[in-house]
Amino acid sequence: MQNGAPIDVIRNYLSYYDETSVKAHINGTVEGFPSIFFAVETNNIAMVRFWVMNGAEVNVVHESSRTPLVAFAICHSEEIQEDTSQMVATLLSLGASPTSIPSDLYSTYMKGPGTVGAKIEPVKPQTEESMWCTDDARKMLSKTMNLTHRYYLYKAATTKRPSNRHKQVAKLRNAGPLLGIQYFLIGQTIASDRLLQKLLAYLMLPSKKPLVLVFAGPSGHGKTELARRLGYLLSLDLEIVDCTIVNREIELFGPRHPYSGADRGTPINNFLARNSGQRCIVFLDEFEKTTKEIHQALLLPFDNGEYQDRRHLTTVDCSKTIWILATNALDDTINEFCEDKKDIYSQDEAIKEKEAKRLSKELKDAFLTRFDAPITGRVTDFIPFLPFSEDEQAVVAHKFLLELCEKVRQPIRLSETQDEQLLGNVKLHIRQDGAVCRALAKSEYHPNLGARSLHTAVKHEVEAKLMESYLQEDEEIRENVGMTDFVVSVQDDEIMVVRTAPI
């Protein structure tokens, strides 16, 4: 692993040893570092998950410095010049303690120290877990910790941890990673919490009736992303159906014999047949575009978990299929509720849960009005996706900033192929990232567009200005050159992108 061996090679190597032996030695140390430090060093999330699956602990420390694993992951971004926010989110989702990091570094995550030129004052450690954090360590954390790091640490510190029974049920049903699903979405804690509750209840008491969920909320607020994350975390096949292009049952599921095309089936027909009796996910996107004919065709699989393969006229067991009906049709209900009931964004879990139940009930009533009783009566739960709060808008903008940083960091390539990259070898620094991202969100965020509007903001306000500054240089673009530093900052709500001396 230290020499760059891919995960398949590591997996094959460990397969030569019995499971008991691997678990007995997986937490051993090399030169004072528990072995999982080397997995984190790769910045490969799959490698870390594999290590934990084999018994590695995430709340471990370097022997001499007592540096915790999650702190190492944050600071390692400086060494590899790559973003490690998803690695930090993964470690937190796997149970790493956020309190090993001094809370003053992330408790007001929007006001954290910037990455450029910030003066860090020494602060006494607040807990026994953070006693390791010397003044030098604090300076390094403050230099390398970005807005997304701080957000996930804050989220972990303020989110109720799974109970032992949650862990027990998830482990018995091979769904352990599901417990960390809330760490892979920005905002949408209500949606991830309700999904977790419904899935664990379903896994505890399986029935022939499948799980049918309505994901309701405005475009660009995480409905598809949550479904993809669910599939990834549970290693489930996912079929996404664009409901805007299917109006009839035959277009969705395919014709039966003796009609032409019956032998081919359709993507969803073949997906259900291929996953008969297996856990899988069907995501019906823009469900409001469907017709009553399609609703009628869905009643049988929703009701008793059976479906007829149109190719062979055989019965398919889809009782373990997770059906997700994603819709924007209830946006007005959600937006009006959020305007009137600000407690839906409360940090108090009990208050937020109470409001979430009220909103879910209103969504059911609105869905019944729009889609009628037969299909509504077969829905297990209605899961709301809310417009982003102001702070969440900024964190989403930061996500797109990180993607831009990674994109322009790549080396310049002048070959006239698909690999050509004219804007490259750029090291993009974000000064006071919270303020920059808040300004980006303020300029472009629209509740009906969600993350897409924030992606546009980064493209127009940062990428375009970076390009303009980059092109002002007289020197020709050449390959194999050193890195050029640019700083993104905000002055009077205006985003500035300027070249600077190496930092």
Side-chain angles (χ1 to χ4, degrees):
M1 188 158 54
Q2 291 167 271
N3 293 318
I7 189 170
D8 289 342
V9 171
I10 302 292
R11 186 182 287 114
N12 184 60
Y13 174 76
L14 291 182
S15 70
Y16 288 103
Y17 300 88
D18 66 85
E19 184 177 333
T20 303
S21 179
V22 170
K23 288 186 182 298
H25 294 90
I26 197 78
N27 288 302
T29 62
V30 178
E31 298 179 353
F33 290 94
S35 66
I36 194 172
F37 272 75
F38 298 97
V40 170
E41 186 181 28
T42 67
N43 206 28
N44 183 328
I45 290 170
M47 185 77 80
V48 170
R49 287 193 174 279
F50 175 68
W51 226 245
V52 172
M53 183 182 72
N54 280 280
E57 297 288 341
V58 292
N59 286 305
V60 290
V61 299
H62 175 237
E63 285 183 347
S64 60
S65 69
R66 310 307 295 169
T67 302
L69 183 65
V70 69
F72 171 76
I74 293 169
C75 295
H76 188 51
S77 62
E78 178 78 3
E79 175 69 23
I80 61 176
Q81 291 297 299
E82 292 179 16
D83 172 44
T84 60
S85 57
Q86 290 307 302
M87 177 60 73
V88 170
T90 298
L91 292 175
L92 293 169
S93 78
L94 293 169
S97 172
T99 57
S100 62
I101 307 295
S103 63
D104 62 285
L105 291 177
Y106 61 82
S107 58
T108 53
Y109 60 88
M110 289 299 300
K111 299 179 181 178
T115 57
V116 184
K119 182 180 179 182
I120 309 302
E121 299 293 339
V123 177
K124 292 181 180 179
Q126 298 161 317
T127 66
E128 186 174 342
E129 278 187 282
S130 61
M131 288 290 291
W132 67 275
C133 193
T134 63
D135 289 349
D136 286 342
R138 173 179 288 276
K139 290 175 183 176
M140 176 57 89
L141 276 173
S142 299
K143 179 182 179 182
T144 54
M145 190 184 293
N146 63 40
L147 174 57
T148 302
H149 288 140
R150 300 193 301 270
Y151 172 75
Y152 283 130
L153 286 166
Y154 173 80
K155 194 169 188 178
T158 57
T159 299
K160 185 178 178 181
R161 307 296 281 186
S163 69
N164 287 330
R165 288 193 178 182
H166 283 139
K167 295 175 183 177
Q168 181 184 19
V169 171
K171 184 177 181 179
L172 289 171
R173 295 294 185 263
N174 296 316
L178 177 65
L179 299 178
I181 196 167
Q182 67 269 33
Y183 295 102
F184 298 100
L185 282 179
I186 297 168
Q188 309 309 348
T189 54
I190 288 173
S192 57
D193 287 349
R194 290 188 73 86
L195 176 63
L196 177 60
Q197 291 169 16
K198 294 302 172 184
L199 274 171
L200 287 180
Y202 175 73
L203 293 173
M204 276 187 69
L205 295 171
S207 71
K208 288 298 291 181
K209 196 169 186 175
L211 194 64
V212 181
L213 303 170
V214 169
F215 279 13
S219 178
H221 285 83
K223 298 190 295 294
T224 306
E225 184 179 358
L226 183 55
R228 290 188 188 279
R229 281 292 179 183
L230 177 62
Y232 168 73
L233 291 173
L234 296 185
S235 300
L236 303 183
D237 286 344
L238 167 68
E239 180 71 15
I240 296 179
V241 180
D242 181 0
C243 293
T244 63
I245 60 174
V246 291
N247 293 309
R248 301 172 56 206
E249 176 189 355
I250 197 172
E251 294 170 338
L252 182 63
F253 292 124
R256 293 181 174 88
H257 283 291
Y259 291 101
S260 174
D263 291 332
R264 294 192 301 272
T266 63
I268 188 172
N269 177 88
N270 302 346
F271 175 84
L272 290 171
R274 189 168 60 250
N275 288 280
S276 180
Q278 303 297 316
R279 219 186 284 163
C280 62
I281 304 169
V282 174
F283 186 85
L284 300 176
D285 198 17
E286 298 199 58
F287 188 72
E288 69 273 11
K289 302 295 197 306
T290 54
T291 60
K292 288 189 176 182
E293 180 181 336
I294 289 178
H295 299 169
Q296 189 65 33
L298 289 169
L299 296 184
L300 185 61
F302 284 6
D303 209 33
N304 63 8
E306 291 185 354
Y307 169 77
Q308 187 181 62
D309 186 348
R310 302 306 198 251
R311 298 168 299 177
H312 315 298
L313 302 184
T314 53
T315 299
V316 171
D317 177 6
C318 58
S319 61
K320 294 183 179 179
T321 301
I322 300 168
W323 297 85
I324 299 175
L325 319 181
T327 179
N328 303 330
L330 312 181
D331 288 4
D332 288 346
T333 301
I334 291 174
N335 290 334
E336 289 171 10
F337 189 96
C338 292
E339 281 294 320
D340 294 341
K341 311 288 192 309
K342 298 296 185 183
D343 282 347
I344 193 77
Y345 292 104
S346 172
Q347 294 302 316
D348 186 305
E349 292 292 329
I351 293 174
K352 186 163 62 175
E353 177 63 19
K354 179 181 177 182
E355 296 298 339
K357 288 179 179 178
R358 291 176 61 186
L359 176 54
S360 188
K361 173 65 168 60
E362 289 192 19
L363 290 176
K364 181 177 181 179
D365 293 341
F367 192 88
L368 177 61
T369 301
R370 176 68 184 262
F371 296 98
D372 296 332
I375 197 78
T376 305
R378 288 162 173 81
V379 173
T380 310
D381 196 20
F382 296 82
I383 297 183
F385 288 71
L386 311 184
F388 296 127
S389 69
E390 288 185 1
D391 287 353
E392 290 164 358
Q393 294 167 29
V395 179
V396 174
H398 190 255
K399 168 191 169 185
F400 294 120
L401 266 182
L402 291 175
E403 291 176 1
L404 177 61
C405 290
E406 175 63 19
K407 182 170 130 182
V408 301
R409 189 183 62 83
Q410 300 306 309
I412 293 169
R413 293 184 295 272
L414 298 180
S415 58
E416 295 181 3
T417 66
Q418 289 184 340
D419 292 332
E420 181 184 70
Q421 174 140 345
L422 297 180
L423 176 58
N425 291 96
V426 168
K427 192 172 181 181
L428 200 58
H429 306 269
I430 316 299
R431 177 177 284 141
Q432 295 181 329
D433 50 9
V436 166
C437 293
R438 191 183 291 283
L440 287 169
K442 183 178 178 181
S443 70
E444 291 282 349
Y445 175 72
H446 194 287
N448 290 338
L449 299 175
R452 294 180 182 90
S453 63
L454 296 167
H455 181 261
T456 299
V458 171
K459 202 161 186 63
H460 289 174
E461 295 293 329
V462 181
E463 185 176 316
K465 291 179 180 179
L466 171 63
M467 189 81 71
E468 182 181 347
S469 183
Y470 182 82
L471 290 174
Q472 285 177 353
E473 302 292 325
D474 276 339
E475 185 180 359
E476 285 191 354
I477 299 171
R478 293 182 292 111
E479 295 181 346
N480 303 314
V481 296
M483 301 296 287
T484 305
D485 292 69
F486 287 81
V487 170
V488 182
S489 61
V490 59
Q491 295 180 13
D492 299 324
D493 287 336
E494 182 180 354
I495 301 298
M496 315 286 289
V497 182
V498 297
R499 184 173 176 177
T500 186
I503 297 173

